[in-house]
């Protein structure tokens, strides 16, 4: 396997060099002067932070045998990030995977799209991410990369995203105001105290959403509270509640015009094709609560019981562009820029997730070797309830966004209700063999039961499966700064063939698809420089519909070949005096192979760049103490638009600049932030998701100004 350097244009190379040398994308916690021991940057010295979702306790990322990125809440503010989708600006291994504005975000890690139902965690417990995730009460976000069978019963192999909730601190009082072009406004407060064995914290925010995209006004709000009580020495009870809601019209993508990729420079990125007079906003509301009890068992072990319930309520509505009936092609728009427009409405969607994990973790010595272990059982339940939905052809739209068509909200289509239960036994052990060598072991046995049925009672399916996913790693510490590791692990995905007469195996459970990953890495961490490099190889079996699939009993869904992703990731964070420079890069060789259909073999996956580069830096201005100049550079290579790889979007580079100024006002600290995203007002196709057998194109957002002020008391 070999990789070539990205073919960058001369302006792109100059932009990258200028951003890396002159100014940056991460604000520093201190004013000008000696290098701070803790920088408020995009990385936030993630090398010294543990990755809680990994399950190995307080082991720092610099000493962990896996790849991960930890982004703190203050770093999200410095980067101007308010949603999951924007994480793609910070990490080269994380890219967009159908991130429609106004809708829930989707990410791809190492080229595999994360499943919003199974690849997200909240304080380590599984949640459903088919919603807008509020960031105001999150302490940090963790992106764990690679096969995730160690942490999840079923999941896509790219990795996991874990949301770490803010908990009580000794004292925190903060308020902020923010503005974004055209007229988005937001206000937030963060207040908490801890005293006498009791602590509390409250986060609240209210936002008016008025982006530059036309017909996209909305609002969102958040109210969250967390409390803790030290019931007795070694006994801690924690509880937290969160309520959030977003109401905003979503933005559908553009598409191919016949066999032609439209020129991104000819498309106004502010156009929203969901702009009919009858278009209704998507409403996503979430209520989440958790209770965690920790009891010390002597000096070297503790029992943790952690329970959570999440309730999501949604109204999903859109004037939805889909295909071209005039040419009988439903994979793209018509060559003249027109498309079929549908009135889609699914009101009253309800998704409920419950999870309970009881585990024991601690340290012990066996056979003269030190062990750091975690063993427990996780029980989960998921229920999705829907109503009948509207999906009705209402006319023809055009990409200029000027077409007017009538509404048809008639409920003409059935939806699918789902029930899932799982029990997972998990065991992890980190064994210190010698002062230099460590062995890392993991095992998870999962038993799941799934059912689904249409809202009219038809097409019922039901199945039960059980499987075990092992994980193994070895690490060698050369010295306190350098370590190398090699890991191997498995992950599982489970599915049932559609219960339709078209299929010969209708309603039957498919063999669980077992993905495998091998990863080798090297890490260095000291007071001024952290750098990491990892090579990975992931094999994921693929399902495919085999047969004519045009009459009853002519189609069989079965395993057919695999997706093979090989790649190299590198990341560095350098702190020197007033400078902080950070960069990450990924080269990915992703191909389909082993299919019975030879035309599929060798094809790249859609919407996955083969190369990506993310650079950030910050410079503390000595002449103005407290002022930091900021900037981000994001480069992503071409993306395949169609599965046959016949059309691809060009690669693109984007430059964002900003500033952060911190100063005292009496006993208070004021933090002013301002920035310009997409400084050059670059026009490009940011991503090209192929969803529902249809090619979509999302333009890069236009040049956008934003500013905020925060006061810390």
């Amino acid at each position: 396997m070999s990789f070539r350097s990205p073919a960058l244009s001369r302006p792109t190379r100059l932009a990258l060099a200028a951003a890396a040398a002159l100014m940056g994308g991460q604000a520093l916690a201190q004013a000008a002067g000696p290098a701070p021991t803790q920088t408020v940057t995009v990385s936030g010295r993630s090398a010294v932070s543990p990755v809680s979702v990994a399950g190995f306790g307080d082991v720092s990322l610099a000493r962990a045998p896996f790849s991960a990125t930890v982004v703190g809440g203050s770093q999200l503010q410095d980067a101007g990030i308010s949603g999951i989708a924007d994480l793609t600006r910070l990490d080269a291994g994380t890219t967009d995977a159908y991130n429609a504005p106004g809708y829930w975000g989707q990410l791809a890690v190492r080229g595999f799209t994360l499943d919003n139902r199974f690849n997200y965690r909240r304080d380590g417990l599984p949640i459903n991410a088919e919603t807008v995730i509020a960031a105001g009460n999150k302490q940090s976000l963790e992106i764990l990369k690679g096969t995730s069978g160690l942490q999840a019963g079923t999941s896509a192999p790219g990795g996991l995203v874990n949301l770490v909730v803010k908990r009580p601190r000794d004292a925190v009082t903060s308020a902020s105001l923010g503005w974004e072009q055209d007229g988005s406004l937001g206000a937030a407060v963060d207040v908490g105290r801890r005293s006498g064995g009791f602590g509390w914290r409250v986060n609240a925010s209210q936002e008016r959403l008025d982006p530059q995209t036309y017909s996209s006004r909305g609002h969102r709000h958040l109210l969250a509270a967390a409390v803790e009580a030290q019931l007795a020495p070694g006994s801690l009870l924690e509880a937290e509640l969160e309520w959030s809601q977003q109401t905003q019209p979503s933005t559908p993508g553009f598409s191919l015009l016949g066999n032609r990729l439209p020129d991104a420079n000819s498309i106004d990125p502010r156009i929203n094709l969901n702009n009919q007079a009858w278009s209704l906003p998507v409403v996503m509301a979430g209520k989440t609560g958790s209770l965690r009890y920790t009891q010390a068992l002597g000096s070297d072990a503790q029992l943790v019981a952690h329970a959570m319930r999440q309730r999501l309520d949604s109204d999903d509505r859109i004037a939805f562009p889909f295909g071209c009936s005039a040419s009988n092609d439903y994979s793209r728009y018509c060559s003249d820029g027109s498309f079929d427009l549908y009135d889609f409405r699914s009101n009253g969607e309800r998704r409920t997730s419950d999870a309970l994990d009881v585990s024991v973790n601690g340290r012990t010595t066996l056979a003269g070797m030190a062990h750091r272990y975690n063993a427990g059982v996780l029980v989960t339940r998921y229920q999705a309830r829907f109503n009948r939905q509207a999906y009705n052809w209402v006319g023809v739209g055009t990409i200029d966004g000027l077409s007017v068509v009538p509404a048809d909200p008639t409920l003409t289509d059935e939806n699918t209700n789902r029930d899932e239960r799982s029990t997972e036994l998990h065991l992890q052990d980190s064994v210190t063999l010698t002062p230099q060598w460590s062995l890392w072991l993991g095992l998870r046995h999962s038993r799941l039961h799934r059912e689904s049925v249409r809202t009219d009672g038809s097409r019922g399916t039901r199945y039960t499966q059980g499987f075990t996913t092992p994980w193994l790693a070895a690490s060698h510490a050369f010295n306190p700064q350098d370590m190398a590791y090699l890991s191997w692990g498995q992950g599982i995905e489970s599915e049932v063939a559609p219960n339709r007469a078209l299929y010969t195996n209708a309603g039957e459970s498919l063999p669980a698809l077992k993905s495998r990953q091998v990863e080798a890495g090297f890490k260095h961490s000291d007071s001024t420089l952290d750098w990491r490099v990892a090579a990975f190889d992931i094999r994921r079996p693929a399902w495919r519909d085999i047969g004519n699939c045009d009459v009853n009993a002519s189609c069989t869904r079965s395993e057919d070949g695999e997706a093979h992703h090989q790649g190299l990731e590198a990341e560095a964070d350098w702190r020197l005096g007033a400078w902080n420079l950070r960069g990450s890069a990924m080269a990915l060789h992703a191909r389909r192979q082993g299919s019975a259909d030879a035309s599929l073999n060798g094809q790249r996956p859609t919407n996955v760049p083969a190369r990506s580069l993310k650079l950030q830096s910050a410079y503390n201005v000595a002449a103005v103490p407290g002022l930091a100049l900021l900037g981000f550079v994001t480069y992503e290579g071409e993306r395949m638009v169609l599965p046959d790889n016949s059309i691809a979007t060009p690669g693109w580079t984007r430059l964002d600049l900003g500033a952060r100024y911190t100063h005292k006002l009496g006993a208070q600290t004021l933090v002013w932030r301002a920035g310009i995203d997409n400084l050059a007002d670059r026009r490009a196709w940011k991503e090209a998701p192929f969803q529902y057998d249809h090619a979509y194109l999302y333009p890069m957002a236009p040049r956008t100004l934003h500013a905020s002020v925060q006061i810390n008391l």
Side-chain angles (χ1 to χ4, degrees):
M1 177 181 65
S2 64
F3 298 101
R4 293 179 297 173
S5 301
L8 305 180
S9 65
R10 186 172 184 271
T12 297
R13 294 196 301 269
L14 291 175
L16 296 176
L22 296 178
M23 54 188 61
Q26 302 164 310
L28 303 180
Q30 307 293 329
T37 58
Q38 175 69 26
T39 59
V40 180
T41 68
V42 171
S43 66
R45 285 304 313 277
S46 62
V48 301
S49 304
V51 183
S52 60
V53 73
F56 287 105
D58 58 358
V59 175
S60 70
L61 180 55
R63 284 294 177 263
F66 49 77
S67 297
T69 297
V70 180
V71 184
S74 59
Q75 293 111 47
L76 294 175
Q77 289 179 316
D78 290 336
I81 290 177
S82 60
I84 289 290
D86 291 331
L87 288 174
T88 59
R89 293 172 55 198
L90 309 182
D91 178 67
T94 306
T95 55
D96 293 293
Y98 198 68
N99 277 319
Y103 206 58
W104 61 63
Q106 290 185 263
L107 300 176
V109 177
R110 294 182 169 175
F112 290 106
T113 299
L114 303 188
D115 191 321
N116 282 46
R117 297 173 299 167
F118 304 119
N119 284 72
Y120 287 80
R121 298 292 182 268
R122 190 175 187 273
D123 282 344
L125 292 182
I127 60 169
N128 187 303
E130 294 175 315
T131 189
V132 172
I133 295 176
N137 68 323
K138 305 304 186 293
Q139 186 69 32
S140 63
L141 301 178
E142 301 172 347
I143 305 174
L144 179 64
K145 302 174 185 178
T147 301
S148 52
L150 178 62
Q151 294 82 15
T154 59
S155 61
L160 291 177
V161 173
N162 185 47
L163 317 171
V164 181
V165 174
K166 289 180 180 178
R167 300 289 178 170
R169 287 168 37 188
D170 290 341
V172 56
T173 303
S174 175
S176 63
L177 293 172
W179 167 86
E180 182 177 289
Q181 190 180 3
D182 273 349
S184 296
L185 296 171
V189 294
D190 183 1
V191 183
R193 296 291 185 273
R194 181 191 286 150
S195 177
F198 178 79
W200 60 273
R201 191 164 185 176
V202 173
N203 283 268
S205 64
Q206 178 71 42
E207 297 176 74
R208 184 187 76 181
L209 305 174
D210 187 11
Q212 294 191 72
T213 305
Y214 304 138
S215 306
S216 296
R217 290 184 178 180
H219 60 269
R220 64 181 169 218
H221 46 257
L222 164 72
L223 179 61
V227 297
E228 65 176 34
Q230 193 81 41
L231 303 179
S235 178
L236 179 66
L237 182 65
E238 301 170 278
E240 56 89 17
L241 293 169
E242 173 188 321
W243 175 59
S244 63
Q245 185 180 68
Q246 175 173 302
T247 301
Q248 185 182 22
S250 62
T251 304
F254 293 87
S255 186
L256 299 175
L257 304 183
N259 294 322
R260 177 173 61 90
L261 178 73
D263 183 358
N265 290 302
S266 67
I267 300 292
D268 184 348
R270 297 169 296 178
I271 291 176
N272 186 353
L273 300 178
N274 176 28
N275 64 346
Q276 298 299 312
W278 46 265
S279 294
L280 296 172
V282 175
V283 180
M284 287 178 280
K287 303 180 184 70
T288 306
S290 71
L291 189 67
R292 181 166 57 192
Y293 177 71
T294 304
Q295 176 63 55
L297 304 175
S299 59
D300 294 322
Q302 61 180 8
L303 170 71
V304 180
H306 192 187
M308 182 177 62
R309 163 164 280 203
Q310 178 198 43
R311 164 73 179 263
L312 304 178
D313 295 282
S314 305
D315 295 325
D316 192 352
R317 294 87 64 100
I318 186 174
F320 189 56
F322 188 87
C324 175
S325 60
S327 59
N328 197 32
D329 188 345
Y330 293 92
S331 67
R332 64 200 72 188
Y333 297 166
C334 302
S335 58
D336 63 357
S338 64
F339 49 79
D340 291 290
L341 197 60
Y342 294 80
D343 186 344
F344 174 78
R345 309 185 190 208
S346 178
N347 292 321
E349 298 181 353
R350 185 174 76 251
R351 300 171 175 88
T352 305
S353 301
D354 297 299
L356 171 64
D357 184 86
V358 180
S359 62
V360 176
N361 65 79
R363 302 169 185 261
T364 190
T365 300
L366 293 174
M369 294 179 291
H371 294 253
R372 183 197 303 261
Y373 65 88
N374 185 322
V377 58
L378 169 65
V379 180
T380 64
R381 181 178 63 183
Y382 170 70
Q383 185 182 78
R385 292 294 181 266
F386 303 97
N387 300 302
R388 298 193 80 213
Q389 59 189 0
Y391 186 63
N392 305 312
W393 185 89
V394 290
V396 174
T398 51
I399 61 171
D400 58 11
L402 300 179
S403 301
V404 177
V405 298
D408 184 359
T410 309
L411 301 179
T412 55
D413 196 17
E414 303 301 329
N415 220 317
T416 302
N417 295 323
R418 294 180 175 86
D419 289 272
E420 301 176 6
R421 302 190 306 274
S422 71
T423 301
E424 303 170 22
L425 304 176
H426 56 89
L427 172 65
Q428 292 161 278
D429 189 13
S430 172
V431 187
T432 303
L433 304 176
T434 70
Q436 292 78 35
W437 284 97
S438 294
L439 184 65
W440 309 70
L441 308 168
L443 195 67
R444 182 174 292 262
H445 177 74
S446 305
R447 188 74 178 173
L448 62 86
H449 177 82
R450 292 179 177 173
E451 301 178 19
S452 69
V453 65
R454 299 275 280 178
T455 46
D456 64 355
S458 66
R459 301 185 191 175
T461 66
R462 175 182 298 184
Y463 73 99
T464 300
Q465 278 184 331
F467 32 76
T468 300
T469 49
W471 184 82
L472 176 67
S475 64
H476 178 75
F478 297 93
N479 51 56
Q481 292 79 38
D482 300 291
M483 65 93 69
Y485 67 90
L486 178 66
S487 69
W488 171 89
Q490 295 182 341
I492 288 289
E493 292 174 274
S494 179
E495 189 173 308
V496 63
N499 195 4
R500 299 172 58 190
L502 191 68
Y503 289 86
T504 61
N505 57 344
E508 296 179 10
S509 63
L510 300 174
L513 295 188
K514 185 172 289 187
S515 57
R516 299 170 177 84
Q517 174 181 282
V518 176
E519 178 174 324
F522 189 93
K523 299 182 178 184
H524 172 88
S525 180
D526 61 37
S527 60
T528 60
L529 177 65
D530 299 322
W531 64 269
R532 301 169 283 285
V533 62
F536 59 87
D537 186 298
I538 306 176
R539 296 175 181 267
R540 175 205 206 180
W543 287 298
R544 187 169 71 89
D545 289 345
I546 299 175
N548 294 327
C549 298
D550 53 0
V551 297
N552 288 349
S554 66
C555 198
T556 302
R557 180 163 295 184
S558 63
E559 183 177 333
D560 178 60
E562 64 182 8
H564 188 192
H565 291 205
Q566 299 170 293
L568 185 66
E569 288 181 333
E571 183 177 355
D573 193 338
W574 180 43
R575 301 162 298 279
L576 183 64
W579 284 93
N580 181 272
L581 304 173
R582 183 180 183 273
S584 61
M586 181 178 70
L588 178 67
H589 184 272
R591 295 293 186 272
R592 183 80 153 83
Q593 63 185 34
S595 173
D597 183 350
S599 67
L600 299 177
N601 295 324
Q603 302 291 356
R604 290 173 52 186
T606 59
N607 201 32
V608 174
R611 300 173 183 87
S612 57
L613 178 67
K614 314 291 171 72
L615 299 176
Q616 306 98 42
S617 62
Y619 176 69
N620 274 346
V621 181
V624 185
L627 176 64
L629 303 180
L630 324 170
F632 299 79
V633 173
T634 302
Y635 164 78
E636 291 188 359
E638 67 173 13
R639 296 175 184 236
M640 294 297 142
V641 179
L642 297 174
D644 65 6
N645 290 187
S646 59
I647 298 178
T649 60
W652 51 267
T653 302
R654 176 178 132 171
L655 174 64
D656 309 325
L657 297 181
R660 179 177 186 265
Y661 179 57
T662 304
H663 68 99
K664 287 284 189 179
L665 185 63
Q668 291 79 40
T669 300
L670 284 166
V671 182
W672 302 84
R673 296 180 175 92
I676 306 175
D677 294 340
N678 193 6
L679 178 69
D681 202 20
R682 175 70 187 275
R683 299 289 178 90
W685 296 119
K686 184 171 181 282
E687 64 160 327
F690 191 81
Q691 295 280 346
Y692 320 115
D693 293 323
H694 193 287
Y696 286 102
L697 300 167
Y698 277 96
M700 186 180 298
R703 181 190 296 119
T704 303
L705 307 179
H706 56 88
S708 68
V709 59
Q710 176 180 327
I711 182 169
N712 302 316
L713 304 178

